[in-house]
Amino acid sequence: DVKVTQSSRYLVKRTGEKVFLECVQDMDHENMFWYRQDPGLGLRLIYFSYDVKMKEKGDIPEGYSVSREKKERFSLILESASTNQTSMYLCASRSHRVTGYTFGSGTRLTVV
Amino acid sequence: RKEVEQDPGPFNVPEGATVAFNCTYSNSASQSFFWYRQDCRKEPKLLMSVYSSGNEDGRFTAQLNRASQYISLLIRDSKLSDSATYLCVVNVVGNQFYFGTGTSLTVIP
């Protein structure tokens, strides 16, 4: 089975801190994604990447950046965390050949 | 207008009941359709793809109506373990995926 691993299940950070969320997948998928999920708003796409060093903005990229130096790893960076970035963050990957996503188990980030 | 809309529920049904969820989408060029299941505080997991001719997987049946731009999920003989949130997902093209906000189902003993 494809496995998508997110480095932390729960994180608590202070306002203004730089935060790194790491995601690793083990099935050589080309495409990787970062979403945030909030009650009543569903999943919203922050950034995605379709190849190493390639990145595309999603629907809500403001306040975030990403890095994809290796195919298996996609990092989400909160440059200066704010309380409105408290959320569940979900990483996902998919192959060009297979249309469905596989999600990581999520990181619940609280910014205080 | 949202790309994908779902009735959030909650749907509370007794064990053994049949329950159906609908999901509408706005882009007529949408190509692929999926239902995901998400348990409380867990990640979404693919339940089933939705094919043009409709498809069935055990107690679950998915239908696509392109003319009216909706997809549906029917669950027969509901089990307690079916309690979850069901997310409708629509793929327009390439990496353009849109998620509904989910429909909450609770199956009651």
Side-chain angles (χ1 to χ4, degrees):
Chain A
D1 275 352
V2 175
K3 196 165 181 183
V4 179
T5 303
Q6 293 183 231
S7 52
S8 304
R9 289 299 304 273
Y10 300 94
L11 274 180
V12 180
K13 296 291 181 181
R14 294 194 180 278
T15 301
E17 276 193 79
K18 191 168 186 175
V19 181
F20 293 86
L21 302 183
E22 304 287 346
C23 176
V24 177
Q25 51 95 2
D26 64 0
M27 283 299 289
D28 203 36
H29 283 176
E30 298 86 358
N31 304 288
M32 296 187 75
F33 307 80
W34 275 106
Y35 286 87
R36 63 178 283 178
Q37 186 175 28
D38 301 285
L41 297 176
L43 277 83
R44 293 181 291 167
L45 181 63
I46 304 171
Y47 269 97
F48 70 95
S49 169
Y50 55 88
D51 203 350
V52 176
K53 297 193 186 293
M54 306 305 291
K55 59 185 178 184
E56 295 283 346
K57 291 180 180 179
D59 299 318
I60 51 163
E62 297 79 19
Y64 303 94
S65 61
V66 290
S67 172
R68 192 156 181 211
E69 296 297 318
K70 294 185 178 182
K71 191 174 185 180
E72 67 270 18
R73 186 179 296 270
F74 192 35
S75 303
L76 179 69
I77 303 146
L78 286 66
E79 298 291 342
S80 177
S82 63
T83 54
N84 63 12
Q85 291 178 310
T86 292
S87 187
M88 167 71 96
Y89 289 87
L90 288 159
C91 175
S93 74
R94 64 180 281 266
S95 163
H96 285 324
R97 296 176 298 281
V98 175
T99 51
Y101 284 112
T102 299
F103 284 91
S105 54
T107 296
R108 191 166 292 277
L109 172 67
T110 302
V111 182
V112 297
Chain B
R1 185 182 172 188
K2 287 185 180 179
E3 294 282 344
V4 177
E5 300 214 46
Q6 289 182 256
D7 179 349
F11 285 67
N12 299 316
V13 303
E15 266 186 294
T18 295
V19 61
F21 310 134
N22 281 343
C23 166
T24 59
Y25 60 94
S26 62
N27 192 327
S28 59
S30 298
Q31 296 182 353
S32 306
F33 308 87
F34 308 88
W35 283 102
Y36 277 71
R37 171 196 168 122
Q38 186 172 23
D39 293 297
C40 189
R41 305 184 88 80
K42 296 283 185 71
E43 75 274 21
K45 293 187 178 177
L46 180 64
L47 178 65
M48 57 197 303
S49 301
V50 186
Y51 302 120
S52 297
S53 54
N55 48 299
E56 192 173 301
D57 182 2
R59 298 181 292 108
F60 298 83
T61 301
Q63 298 274 1
L64 167 63
N65 185 316
R66 283 195 183 272
S68 300
Q69 295 184 200
Y70 75 85
I71 66 172
S72 64
L73 178 68
L74 181 80
I75 306 174
R76 290 182 300 278
D77 189 23
S78 299
K79 311 289 185 193
L80 296 177
S81 57
D82 293 335
S83 297
T85 296
Y86 291 84
L87 302 174
C88 164
V89 183
V90 173
N91 175 218
V92 176
V93 64
N95 281 319
Q96 263 190 305
F97 284 77
Y98 297 98
F99 286 76
T101 53
T103 298
S104 172
L105 170 67
T106 301
V107 181
I108 304 162

